[in-house]
Amino acid sequence: MNEPVIKFKHYRITKIDYKVFEDVEDLEIYETESGTLNATTALNKERDSARLIVKTLIVDKEQRRMANIEITGYFAVDPELKEEKVRSFIRINGTAILFPYVRSIVSFITSMDNENAILLPTINTQGFGSNYEESE
């Protein structure tokens, strides 16, 4: 039986910024980033572990609020694979693993404020990559 290319170890919430505004105009500075999902990968020198940081910013004009969430996932990886293949697996599969946590965090935080929780849609991570960054 083949070993998985990446193994999810754990995740940490690295940022939660939730704000409610008096005026809807105060949300305008966040609107250009609203709904984006950004991911940054990092691979250690031995290429046996990787980190994926997933960030999203959500603006809810109707409720005059903003949620900015960042989580970091930690993965064990097969050091025999080429770096680009590992990064591709982390980018696509790692995002698929972490995004349900992001959805849950956004829903939980926004439901604590009022009964109108923000429910993020599911995503297809196969096409994920337009907001993808690499780091060492």
Side-chain angles (χ1 to χ4, degrees):
M1 190 161 130
N2 292 337
E3 286 291 313
V5 175
I6 65 170
K7 293 179 188 176
F8 179 56
K9 296 196 287 190
H10 65 279
Y11 79 95
R12 297 294 311 260
I13 300 169
T14 48
K15 180 179 184 178
I16 296 179
D17 185 12
Y18 179 78
K19 295 179 184 175
V20 177
F21 297 89
E22 290 295 319
D23 296 314
V24 72
E25 291 83 24
D26 295 335
L27 288 166
E28 289 177 5
I29 61 172
Y30 301 104
E31 279 193 287
T32 58
E33 296 291 317
S34 181
T36 60
L37 184 68
N38 297 301
T40 304
T41 63
L43 192 59
N44 71 347
K45 288 182 182 181
E46 294 80 21
R47 294 191 359 219
D48 63 353
S49 67
R51 190 175 68 226
L52 175 67
I53 301 169
V54 175
K55 304 175 189 178
T56 191
L57 181 118
I58 307 300
V59 172
D60 179 359
K61 288 178 89 172
E62 187 175 308
Q63 297 294 320
R64 299 182 329 273
R65 61 187 174 173
M66 175 275 299
N68 190 4
I69 308 296
E70 176 183 299
I71 69 172
T72 302
Y74 299 88
F75 299 86
V77 297
D78 181 351
E80 301 299 316
L81 289 175
K82 292 185 178 185
E83 182 175 343
E84 182 52 42
K85 191 155 186 92
V86 170
R87 288 188 186 276
S88 177
F89 274 105
I90 293 294
R91 182 179 72 243
I92 296 169
N93 298 28
T95 302
I97 291 167
L98 292 181
F99 190 68
Y101 295 108
V102 172
R103 291 180 73 222
S104 177
I105 293 164
V106 169
S107 176
F108 178 76
I109 295 298
T110 59
S111 70
M112 299 303 292
D113 180 42
N114 65 43
E115 69 278 359
N116 298 308
I118 295 173
L119 302 174
L120 298 179
T122 58
I123 60 169
N124 179 357
T125 61
Q126 279 301 121
F128 190 75
S130 62
N131 292 320
Y132 161 69
E133 298 174 18
E134 296 178 7
S135 66
E136 296 302 317

